[in-house]
Every structure is written in structure tokens, then in C-alpha cells.
Amino acid sequence: MGLKPKWAGSTVDDREIAQFSARAADWWDESGPLRMLHRLNPLRIAYIRDHAAALFGRDPRRVDCLAGLRLLDIGCGGGILSEPLARLGAAVVGIDPGADAIAAARAHAALSGVAVDYRITTVEEMADASERFDIVLAMEVVEHVTDLDLFIHRAAATVKPGGLMIAATINRTLKSFALAIVAAEYVLGWVPRGTHRWDRLVTPDELERAFEGGGLETIDGVGVVFDPFAGAWRRSDDMDVNYMMAARRPA
Amino acid sequence: MRPGNGPDSELTVSGMDSRHDTRRVDVLIVGAGLPGLALAVALKQALGTSFDVMAVDPALTPEGRARRRRDPRALAIVAAARRLLETIGVWERFAENAQPILDMVVTDSRLTDTVRPVFLTFAGDVEPGEPFAHMVENRDLLAALNAQAEAAGVVLRADSVAGFEPGPFWATASLASGLRMAARVVVAADGAHSRLRELAGIDVVAWTYPQSAIVTTVAHERDHGGRAIEHFLPAGPFAILPLTGRRSSIVWTEDAAEAVRIAALPEAEFHAELERRFGLELGDISVVGPRQAYPLRFSLARRFVGERLALVGDAAHVIHPIAGQGLNMGLRDVAALAETIAEAARLGLDPGGREALARYQRWRRFDTATMGAVTDGLNRLFSNRSAALKLVRDFGLGVVDRLPALKALFIREAAGLVGEVPRLLRGEPL
């Protein structure tokens, strides 16, 4: 973990990267520290797939429904979202400033036989290099950056005209402080302690304004809640804690 | 989802064993009987050309297929199972050979009774115009599934499984021919004595009933009017199940030794024994098919899933045929597993991953254990010669007969339409 790239002029927080790189080996353990993220995965993928299918005129029941679409997964970590989306046919570029996470992601993709282009870089560098995508994802990322508006502005720059951007994050409410930080990190141990800082959390209004500032129009927002009886996450109207938002760049 | 969809993707890749190549598919089904083929067809139709499904069975040789055409057995396909077969386009291939059961009569009697008291009738549609069940001959259903599997693009291979090795990304199955297959999920659909289940080290709870079922087909003078009759004789149930064209399938339970003796009797004597039990309602009868005795057993696998492995049909459970639920249970497995695999595949997730398989097991095992216990209990109740028990069952089923709501629930339960019903059993495509 000693090697930590410095990302001058970026929205990346070095301390946050260290937090995530420390558990590179745990990324793919379905019963490990990131088990709640694994359980959240089907819901996140379905949301991305269904919005992409609607926007690009695809049949979401086809196992290659994202074929031909270029997708950027910002903060891809060990690739637990990048890999399934690549299997659905998308040409996925997964970026993360954490070298350990990218190493874990590459190793896993090689073994499971899925092609993903993983890079140790930031969205600012992607934007500067004029990389453009049909779909740009910032899933569980915006709550970890130093400057939300700047981050979304640079991320939005990589969305092609007519393209889609989706973000998932945690709202900044008293309820989210109680549930997402106190309960999830300290009482239940669902996510490692220190994963989230309450003052970094983002409200749906702030995210929508940031999208607007990046030239995107918000098309959907949905809450995500954990159903303890089913042991699964499901969509909900309640956006007080976890939520997802979709936006598009006008063609 | 083509496995290995990277730039170097090839259907055949070099395995670690230098002598053989390893061929990759998404799902490998071991056993091309009724549940195995139904699963293959459902998956292939739902997930398309880029999702590879292979079914292997030693009975896929020309000799094996000829043997299957001589199978004397017939099946009661309940409404839910029929909806599945309709949804995957199999039903229309043999619909003209399916006989609806319009009415079901159960009697409890001794062989010498001249009048057999009827104490339970099941005239019932599950929905208006939708019969509770149809009788279908095994060979017709198998031929239709086989044709549909070929049409859907399922790879069928005459081969058997010799080794099974699950891994973190793929399971490897070595076949008797020497071919090595890698699959994300391997399905054991190879019957009650499943070799694959044994290779995976999954134990079963099993016992043999002291009874066997003699199965044959008779033709009769008068029309059966779609009525199924079950006489609960002291040795066990004697079922007359309507087939098309003034024929009926006989499932005749006897003590095991007696069944072997009867099945081997010369034709005239066999006919006489049959007539004593069959009764005279349908006029003159003649045996028109082969006869065979099948030992009755109960078996329930301790787990329905293993690492990269799922059990369906008789490989998972064999129940007493008293309630005619064997294949219907198998098709419920198929519907639940097909839905679980399709959902995972459509999310780009691992269809053989722990989460997906655990979901299948949760969905099926409780239902199966319950059905197994009910049918076992029914058999014990109805095979007992005690007069006191006879009173209990007369009274008990008499009550059921008089309560329309309870009876309707019985019919829907037996038709497979109670509980969290998988899409295919509701007649909805995956």
C-alpha cells in the first residue's frame, strides 16, 4: 500500500483511496466485508441495464443487451460492477485511482474470462484525454470526492450527446447518519468503519444541480432500502438514505 | 452471455490436460429426460444464441431412443406443468394425444366388494375451462421435448458423466467419451440413481416401499368420459387413468413379490387378475401395451445444490406416485431453476454463483419435503388394512368432499398453483 499516486488538481481524496485499497483482496468475497455491496449489485445492475435499454432501444431480456455501448465505471474498485456489465456486452473502461483495487480487478477478470479495460486513473484525466462514453457510472463514488460540482462537471464531460449518466449515493439526512453510518458501520458491521463521512454525503437536490451544471438533465431518481425480512435490497420511494439517479445529455 | 467474451474468446480452449481440449458452455445438463430437456429448452429460448446449453445422456443413442419409445408409462400433467409446457412451445407438439381428466373418483374397497363406495370426487377445473390435469404418454412428451430442444439450438450429446470438479469460476465435468466440459452451472437431471449427485458427494434420505407398481395400457369398449378412477385396494392404489382413443393407463400397486409374479403371468391369467380389479363399467377390456413392474421408492437429497451444481427432478426427489406428483414436482424444479439462472444471466451475474443457487434451493426444498411427507402419509393411510383407519379416512375425506373451499384448495395445490409460483408455471415466458 505504500505507493499512492498523487492526484494534483483532482477531486480524489488520498485518504479515501487508502481506505479502499486496503481491502483489495476482499473485493470478490461475497460473504466478506463488502457483502452488502454484493447484495446491492443485482439492483444496481438492473437499474443501469433498464435505463440503458430504454434510452438506446435495447431488449433488456437479451444477455447481450449492452452490446456496442461504451461504458465508463468511475471508482470501479475490484470490478464487481464492471464485470457483469461487460458480460452484458458493454465495452467497459473501469477506472480507479487505487492501484491495489485495479490489480485485484484485472486478476479477477482474467480468471473469469471477461474483457474489461481497467486503468489506474481519474475521471479528470479521462475528460482531459477527450474520452467519450455512451454510459458513465458514478456508483457509490460521489460521497467520497472532495468537490461534488467539480467532479460531476468533469464526469459529465465524458458523456456523449444522447448518452446516460447514473449515480448512486447516500443522502445527507439525520436518518442516513443513524442508518448508514452509526448502524451500518458501528452496530451491524455491514461496511467497514470509516467508509463514510457524514459531511461528504450528497442530497438528491445537490446531485441534480451538479448534473445540471454539467449540462445533463435528470430523468429519474429512486430510493434503495434494505428489507431485513427478505435479506435483500429493493427499490423504494424513500430517498432518505440510499438512492440512485439517472441523467442524460441532450442529443 | 458467451463465456469468455474477451477478444481471445473461443468456444474451445486448451484445458490444463494436454490430451484433451476443454469445451465451455454456460449450462451443462446431465440427463436428457423430461426435466433435463424442459430446462434446456426453457433456458435456450429465454437467453438466446449467445447462451450455450448442452444436455448429455447415454440414452440419446439410436438404441436408447428406440428403448424410450417402448416406455409403457403415462403421466398426469397438472395445470401448472401444462402451462410451462405450453409456454416453451412443447405442448402444441402433442396436444392431440393429451387426454383431459374431467373428473376424478376415489373409492375405498376390498377386492370382493361388489359395490365400491365412492367417497371423494374431484370434478374440477382450476380456472373455468382449464382442466385440473391431462394424461400424457411418456414417449409422446419425450419426443416433443426432444424435437423442441433441437429446434431451440440445445446441443444434445450421447454421453455420460464420469467426473465432476467444481472450481471458483467453472465446474469441469469429464465425460465417458473423454471430452472435458467446463460450465458455469452443471445440472443433475440424471434420475433417482444420479451418478452426478454421487460424484458431488450429496447424500439422500431414501427407502424402498414394500410395493411395486405394475404399469400397462388397456383398451376398453366404452368411452371413459375423461374420468380417472383410483380404487384404494388393501395392497395399495389401483389407478385407471384416461388416455385418448378409448384407452386407459393402469398403475396397479401390489406388494413387491406379488407384483413381480403378476407382471410375469401368462396373458390370459394376467387378464383375469386385471379384470377383477378393473371392474366392468367400461365393458370388455384388452391389454394393448407392454407391461412392466416398477419398484416404489422414496428419496430426498439432503441438499438440492452444491458448488456450481443444482439437482432437479428425480435426482433431487422421488416420491410415492400415489398423488401422481413426481414429474410435476420435477417441472416445478425446472421452472424455479430456469428463472433463477435467467435472472442472473440477464444481470451479467454468475448463474452458478452461491447466491443464485441458494435462491433455487430456498425456493424448492421446503415445497418438496412437504409434498414428500404428504404423499408418504397418504400411502401409509390408504395401504393399511385396519378397519379403524378405514373409518378415519372415510370420515376425513368425506369432510373434505363436503367443504367446497377446502376442496378447491386441494385441487389448486395438487395442480401446483399454490405458493410463490415461478413465472413458467403461471404460463408467463421467462
Side-chain angles (χ1 to χ4, degrees):
Chain A
M1 253 290 312
L3 275 178
K4 234 184 312 172
K6 287 284 176 204
W7 304 100
S10 85
T11 53
V12 168
D13 182 330
D14 284 342
R15 211 164 48 85
E16 297 265 14
I17 302 166
Q19 169 83 21
F20 283 97
S21 299
R23 44 188 138 93
D26 295 329
W27 277 107
W28 286 92
D29 182 359
E30 283 184 35
S31 43
L34 295 174
R35 62 191 177 281
M36 292 313 272
L37 197 56
H38 280 281
R39 288 212 197 155
L40 186 58
N41 227 15
L43 191 82
R44 305 194 296 172
I45 298 166
Y47 190 74
I48 296 159
R49 177 196 65 188
D50 294 349
H51 272 291
L55 196 58
F56 299 107
R58 305 299 177 89
D59 178 354
R61 289 170 307 170
R62 288 186 60 102
V63 292
D64 59 353
C65 69
L66 302 182
L69 297 173
R70 194 155 190 255
L71 185 149
L72 175 65
D73 182 9
I74 304 168
C76 64
I80 66 175
L81 188 60
S82 296
E83 256 191 43
L85 294 168
R87 270 209 200 92
L88 292 178
V92 178
V93 177
I95 62 168
D96 201 289
D100 293 357
I102 291 294
R106 283 181 180 150
H108 194 276
L111 286 168
S112 57
V114 178
V116 179
D117 178 359
Y118 286 117
R119 305 181 195 175
I120 307 171
T121 185
T122 63
V123 70
E124 290 82 358
E125 293 194 344
M126 297 295 285
D128 289 345
S130 301
E131 296 261 14
R132 296 295 178 265
F133 299 88
D134 300 291
I135 305 165
V136 174
L137 304 177
M139 307 299 278
E140 285 78 35
V141 165
V142 300
E143 69 272 28
H144 301 290
V145 301
T146 53
D147 184 333
L148 174 74
D149 289 330
L150 181 59
F151 170 80
I152 293 288
H153 194 265
R154 304 312 311 276
T158 67
V159 181
K160 288 182 190 171
L164 177 70
M165 177 158 182
I166 293 178
T169 187
I170 301 174
N171 199 347
R172 191 175 67 253
T173 59
L174 280 178
K175 193 161 150 192
S176 74
F177 178 70
L179 287 176
I181 298 185
V182 179
E185 294 184 16
Y186 291 89
V187 181
L188 299 167
W190 282 357
V191 290
R193 291 180 185 187
T195 299
H196 295 114
R197 287 172 49 181
W198 190 70
D199 60 333
R200 285 268 170 91
L201 301 184
V202 176
T203 67
D205 284 350
E206 289 165 352
L207 186 57
E208 189 167 348
R209 274 202 305 276
F211 277 151
E212 215 172 287
L216 306 180
E217 59 182 21
T218 301
I219 53 178
D220 187 45
V222 67
V224 177
V225 299
F226 186 74
D227 179 347
F229 297 105
W233 295 87
R234 57 179 173 76
R235 292 186 199 181
S236 158
D237 291 336
D238 175 3
M239 293 174 71
D240 282 355
V241 187
N242 293 80
Y243 67 95
M244 301 186 282
M245 278 178 98
R248 62 185 289 270
R249 178 181 292 288
Chain B
M1 170 182 25
R2 187 177 302 282
N5 67 348
D8 56 349
S9 146
E10 273 290 300
L11 202 58
T12 305
V13 296
S14 284
M16 290 190 294
D17 186 335
S18 57
R19 287 169 305 165
H20 303 295
D21 279 348
T22 300
R23 186 170 166 194
R24 284 183 174 185
V25 291
D26 291 288
V27 179
L28 174 68
I29 298 167
V30 175
L34 302 175
L37 287 174
L39 179 67
V41 170
L43 285 176
K44 197 65 192 164
Q45 286 180 346
L47 299 172
T49 48
S50 58
F51 193 88
D52 297 312
V53 180
M54 181 192 254
V56 297
D57 195 316
L60 288 170
T61 56
E63 308 82 68
R65 287 172 196 247
R67 201 163 43 246
R68 284 178 161 190
R69 281 194 291 273
R70 293 192 299 272
D71 189 336
R73 288 172 295 181
L75 299 155
I77 301 284
V78 299
R82 195 206 69 241
R83 290 180 191 179
L84 179 150
L85 294 171
E86 277 174 359
T87 309
I88 63 173
V90 168
W91 187 260
E92 63 191 39
R93 287 181 179 268
F94 65 88
E96 72 273 18
N97 295 327
Q99 168 66 47
I101 298 180
L102 303 173
D103 178 20
M104 214 163 88
V105 170
V106 180
T107 78
D108 187 16
S109 46
R110 285 178 296 276
L111 206 48
T112 49
D113 289 349
T114 44
V115 177
R116 292 168 170 175
V118 171
F119 64 90
L120 184 64
T121 56
F122 273 114
D125 291 353
V126 284
E127 300 287 345
E130 182 173 12
F132 152 81
H134 285 78
M135 287 304 300
V136 168
E137 287 163 87
N138 252 17
R139 50 171 187 251
D140 290 342
L141 179 50
L142 208 45
L145 276 165
N146 220 92
Q148 192 72 345
E150 274 164 11
V154 175
V155 182
L156 296 172
R157 185 182 168 91
D159 212 332
S160 55
V161 68
F164 175 68
E165 216 177 296
F169 297 94
W170 301 90
T172 309
S174 17
L175 304 183
S177 63
L179 183 70
R180 281 163 55 90
M181 297 297 305
R184 300 159 73 76
V185 202
V186 180
V187 179
D190 50 346
H193 303 284
S194 170
R195 171 89 177 115
L196 178 55
R197 183 186 66 209
E198 191 185 310
L199 287 168
I202 296 178
D203 286 338
V204 293
V205 183
W207 61 80
T208 307
Y209 290 97
Q211 298 161 316
S212 290
I214 304 161
V215 176
T216 192
T217 307
V218 299
H220 35 74
E221 209 177 1
R222 283 198 280 279
D223 193 56
H224 47 53
R227 166 171 288 189
I229 302 171
E230 196 140 356
H231 295 306
F232 281 112
L233 299 175
F238 180 93
I240 304 167
L241 304 161
L243 297 177
T244 49
R246 291 194 182 171
R247 293 176 309 139
S248 288
S249 173
I250 302 300
V251 182
W252 169 4
T253 311
E254 286 288 344
D255 292 339
E258 180 69 356
V260 172
R261 188 189 71 81
I262 292 174
L265 284 175
E267 224 159 280
E269 286 169 58
F270 181 78
H271 188 270
E273 289 284 353
L274 180 66
E275 210 165 39
R276 277 175 71 202
R277 291 162 178 84
F278 192 94
L280 306 166
E281 291 97 338
L282 297 178
D284 280 346
I285 61 171
S286 57
V287 177
V288 291
R291 48 176 132 122
Q292 201 168 330
Y294 297 89
L296 301 182
R297 36 196 327 269
F298 175 96
S299 103
L300 183 63
R302 288 194 188 273
R303 291 180 285 133
F304 280 15
V305 299
E307 215 183 321
R308 299 218 165 262
L309 175 74
L311 273 47
V312 297
D314 286 358
H317 44 73
V318 177
I319 62 172
H320 194 284
I322 187 165
Q325 290 294 338
L327 174 71
N328 294 306
M329 302 266 297
L331 290 179
R332 287 205 231 181
D333 299 343
V334 166
L337 185 59
E339 188 166 328
T340 307
I341 290 176
E343 261 178 31
R346 286 175 177 152
L347 292 170
L349 294 170
D350 185 351
R354 225 169 278 168
E355 274 294 315
L357 293 178
R359 183 172 167 228
Y360 166 64
Q361 162 145 299
R362 277 196 303 275
W363 210 343
R364 291 301 304 141
R365 204 168 184 286
F366 176 74
D367 178 38
T368 307
T370 310
M371 180 64 84
V374 168
T375 53
D376 183 57
L378 271 179
N379 181 55
R380 283 168 200 273
L381 182 62
F382 282 105
S383 298
N384 199 295
R385 291 174 170 81
S386 132
L389 269 179
K390 185 172 188 311
L391 263 176
V392 170
R393 58 193 188 240
D394 282 2
F395 182 71
L397 287 179
V399 168
V400 171
D401 202 28
R402 272 171 219 113
L403 293 173
L406 189 56
K407 195 157 128 180
L409 177 69
F410 262 43
I411 291 175
R412 289 185 67 81
E413 171 64 54
L417 295 171
V418 174
E420 194 198 342
V421 181
R423 300 177 65 88
L424 285 171
L425 297 183
R426 296 197 301 253
E428 295 166 18
L430 281 178

